[in-house]
Amino acid sequence: MRATSLSLLRTATRCSQTRVAACPHQLAQCSARWSSSLTSTSSGTERKWSTPLAKMLGEAITTTGPISVAAYMRQCLTAPEGGYYTRQTSTGQDQFGTKGDFVTSPEISQVFGELIGIWLYAEWLAQGKQDKVQIIEVGPGRGTLMDDVLRTISSFKTFAKSIEAVYLIEASPHLQKQQAKLLVGTEELEKSEIGWAAPLKYVPGVKIQWCEDIRFVPKEETSTPFILAHEFFDALPIHVFQNVAQSSIPASSTIITPTGPIKPKHGVTAPKNTWHELVVSPASPYASAGTTVTTSSASDKGHEKPDFELTVSQTPTPHSLYLPKMSDRYKKLEETPDAIIEISPESFAYISDFAVRIGGGNAPSPKARQKPSAEPASFSKAQPSGAALILDYGPADTIPANTFRGIRSHQTVSPFTAPGLVDLSADVDFLALAETALNASPGVEIHGPVEQSFFLSTMGIKERAERLLKGAKDEDTRRRLEAGWKRLVDRGPNGMGKTYKAMAIVPFNKDSKVRRPVGFGGDIMS
Ligand code: SAH
């Protein structure tokens, strides 16, 4: 049983209800202000940046122009030098737990990972006990979830025997080492074709492999991939767009031209809304803390002055030209002035990859078949198999807006303070993930998203916790176990049961009989 203190149960998760939201009106007012934010102020003093990464980003932006939120987020989270996940902390303390910035479900209770292990086993049984199983986790953090999952799986001997390899997709070399310590028992890893490898401690003869991107994991037509993504998609970069009027000149205005004033005809300059990308630029050195980013959180740590601010790009960006056109859901908001949408193309790449591994890719078009080199070869699967389980926070069917936030020491802070020292995240657009997966593969179906409380309750969290409680060695352990599992399913503002969702990708069932996976309304089949 994992040793955690009671205080851990009071720590904040990443999906705190408070939001650091960019106010659309303020954004519009501060557009194109970036050019005045030079590295030295008018008084000649060097501009002070809060971190070396902020300085590097600030200087790059001053040279080349504002960057997208996605580029900012990627640098802040995974830049090799000074990225939030990739940096080596001076104390050796990682990002998780009471001493870190946030706590996640697997760190709160071992029951979480155990139930996910059982979910995988139930899917494996329901799909006819396939062999050549690959267990894949994206963004494994400390490795706690995978440890609980593999410990659980190792007690189902036939399932454990069917595992060919375990893959961990991890951007941080330091977290890779921490995961190895837990899952292998050593930090000594051998170099492999895709990254690093070591023998797994739970299943003899099986290797665990680390790499930085899921594209490196071998895709085989006969493999059965079981993929886990817990609090991974919320860390993937987002682009943010605001629907603003193309012309800010009111229809009744007079335009002064060299040949005299012109009164525009009614309707000619009527505002037409278009999507403008919100971009990141250095904050004005004269702005006081919080002038360009509003926060509903009184807990914004010390009201540190942000290094950067969001502005509305006045000209189209490469992403504003096509991303908001990708779905009818965005189109419907074109008539809503000031609407904001967040889109994560990197999430789409990951979810498409999951879907294709499970269900095979779309059949190549006749044109591509004639010219085989024109498009990458399609990956087909005679029999779709495997599953992906995505657990994260975000709305079930609406498009996230104003959800980009920073998390530091269990508090919500501006995402533009202390770049590299603050965790950044945004709500996951589950419906966009579902749409993308279905478009990527004809061989998959989607279940959910359902609330975490529903998923865990129907998986039997109460029964499993009660069994553990019976064996609890002392009152402290009892209280910790009890508070832990209840927090995972609590649907109130301090619980994780409602905001966190579960969604599954499973093989498309050609029979008319729908088989719901366990946790999504189905029963365990054997
Ligand atoms: N699943 C874990 C950790 C969540 S934090 C838990 O729930 O406790 C996000 C994890 O994703 C970290 O391990 C981080 O290093 C990793 N990560 C973030 N961005 C990534 C990227 N672009 N590619 C690979 N890993 C990434």
Side-chain angles (χ1 to χ4, degrees):
M1 196 173 299
R2 201 173 316 128
T4 47
S5 70
L6 250 188
S7 60
L8 184 64
L9 303 172
R10 279 181 237 113
T11 53
T13 62
R14 294 205 290 168
C15 82
S16 149
Q17 296 300 309
T18 50
R19 296 276 186 272
V20 175
C23 164
H25 301 292
Q26 282 176 334
L27 288 170
Q29 282 163 14
C30 66
S31 63
R33 200 146 16 104
W34 76 275
S35 57
S36 66
S37 299
L38 303 173
T39 43
S40 44
T41 63
S42 60
S43 60
T45 52
E46 260 308 289
R47 182 184 174 125
K48 287 214 166 47
W49 299 98
S50 61
T51 62
L53 184 63
K55 183 169 189 283
M56 190 275 282
L57 287 171
E59 287 171 355
I61 294 172
T62 306
T63 312
T64 60
I67 56 172
S68 63
V69 172
Y72 175 78
M73 212 171 158
R74 191 175 305 115
Q75 288 299 318
C76 289
L77 291 180
T78 55
E81 293 296 320
Y84 178 75
Y85 285 113
T86 31
R87 85 198 139 94
Q88 169 85 69
T89 56
S90 51
T91 55
Q93 162 65 42
D94 67 23
Q95 299 81 354
F96 308 88
T98 335
K99 291 187 188 151
D101 294 312
F102 56 86
V103 69
T104 59
S105 297
E107 306 292 337
I108 289 175
S109 175
Q110 71 185 73
V111 181
F112 186 80
E114 290 170 356
L115 292 179
I116 289 176
I118 291 170
W119 189 86
L120 295 178
Y121 179 56
E123 260 310 298
W124 180 75
L125 288 179
Q127 292 182 29
K129 305 182 185 178
Q130 301 282 331
D131 56 3
K132 296 188 77 180
V133 166
Q134 298 173 319
I135 306 276
I136 305 171
E137 186 182 359
V138 291
R142 284 176 165 173
T144 311
L145 174 62
M146 186 52 85
D147 193 55
D148 290 333
V149 163
L150 291 175
R151 182 170 39 75
T152 306
I153 289 180
S154 63
S155 59
F156 303 117
K157 297 283 179 251
T158 45
F159 184 29
K161 268 206 194 117
S162 74
I163 298 175
E164 220 176 39
V166 174
Y167 295 95
L168 296 184
I169 319 305
E170 176 54 68
S172 160
H174 310 294
L175 286 172
Q176 283 182 354
K177 281 191 184 151
Q178 210 168 321
Q179 293 150 16
K181 244 196 216 160
L182 190 63
L183 299 162
V184 179
T186 170
E187 283 184 14
E188 299 306 313
L189 305 178
E190 61 197 64
K191 193 93 193 80
S192 79
E193 259 177 44
I194 62 167
W196 301 95
L200 186 62
K201 85 176 173 200
Y202 286 112
V203 192
V206 172
K207 273 200 173 156
I208 183 161
Q209 302 232 35
W210 282 265
C211 59
E212 284 180 19
D213 196 295
I214 196 162
R215 285 173 300 180
F216 300 138
V217 175
K219 236 189 234 149
E220 282 162 29
E221 288 170 17
T222 51
S223 291
T224 295
F226 285 108
I227 310 167
L228 298 175
H230 183 259
E231 292 215 30
F232 173 71
F233 282 101
D234 69 80
L236 292 187
I238 54 160
H239 287 268
V240 187
F241 303 96
Q242 187 182 6
N243 193 18
V244 284
Q246 208 164 28
S247 165
S248 54
I249 308 165
S252 59
S253 307
T254 299
I255 301 174
I256 308 299
T257 74
T259 53
I262 298 176
K263 264 228 176 288
K265 283 182 198 140
H266 179 71
V268 171
T269 55
K272 186 180 175 298
N273 295 330
T274 45
W275 293 109
H276 286 241
E277 182 155 15
L278 302 192
V279 288
V280 177
S281 47
S284 159
Y286 311 108
S288 56
T291 50
T292 53
V293 180
T294 57
T295 170
S296 52
S297 162
S299 62
D300 199 341
K301 200 187 169 210
H303 291 276
E304 275 178 77
K305 196 171 159 187
D307 291 293
F308 298 96
E309 66 190 18
L310 274 181
T311 62
V312 182
S313 172
Q314 295 300 291
T315 50
T317 63
H319 291 98
S320 71
L321 291 175
Y322 80 97
L323 275 180
K325 295 191 174 70
M326 279 179 67
S327 165
D328 282 347
R329 292 166 73 224
Y330 310 135
K331 208 171 167 47
K332 281 187 193 140
L333 282 170
E334 278 175 9
E335 300 310 314
T336 311
D338 290 338
I340 287 186
I341 52 174
E342 296 169 354
I343 307 179
S344 172
E346 258 180 66
S347 298
F348 299 162
Y350 261 92
I351 206 80
S352 299
D353 181 288
F354 293 1
V356 168
R357 277 175 201 279
I358 295 163
N362 282 310
S365 65
K367 212 169 136 200
R369 259 187 237 122
Q370 282 160 13
K371 288 197 243 166
S373 60
E375 282 178 27
S378 171
F379 172 72
S380 63
K381 256 180 124 166
Q383 189 193 357
S385 65
L389 184 62
I390 295 108
L391 296 130
D392 223 311
Y393 47 87
D397 53 10
T398 55
I399 304 163
N402 286 333
T403 74
F404 182 41
R405 53 195 178 276
I407 300 112
R408 193 177 194 189
S409 305
H410 304 272
Q411 293 183 344
T412 306
V413 299
S414 160
F416 301 114
T417 52
L421 300 180
V422 165
D423 181 29
L424 299 180
S425 104
D427 276 9
V428 171
D429 186 347
F430 280 97
L431 202 54
L433 294 186
E435 262 184 11
T436 309
L438 292 173
N439 287 337
S441 171
V444 297
E445 60 187 40
I446 309 288
H447 293 268
V450 295
E451 289 180 2
Q452 176 160 299
S453 63
F454 178 86
F455 175 74
L456 294 178
S457 302
T458 53
M459 286 293 304
I461 191 167
K462 186 164 180 279
E463 294 73 14
R464 172 72 190 138
E466 275 167 1
R467 236 181 305 147
L468 284 177
L469 281 166
K470 272 195 196 130
K473 60 179 187 323
D474 53 42
E475 191 48 31
D476 185 48
T477 313
R478 250 192 82 78
R479 270 192 310 188
R480 183 174 50 75
L481 268 171
E482 181 106 8
W485 84 263
K486 285 189 174 155
R487 185 176 180 192
L488 298 182
V489 291
D490 180 359
R491 297 184 72 254
N494 297 321
M496 300 166 85
K498 192 171 157 116
T499 324
Y500 283 74
K501 312 278 184 325
M503 191 174 91
I505 307 178
V506 295
F508 172 59
N509 202 334
K510 289 194 205 89
D511 315 334
S512 51
K513 221 171 72 199
V514 173
R515 177 187 69 81
R516 284 192 187 280
V518 58
F520 294 87
D523 293 325
I524 293 196
M525 295 162 67
S526 56

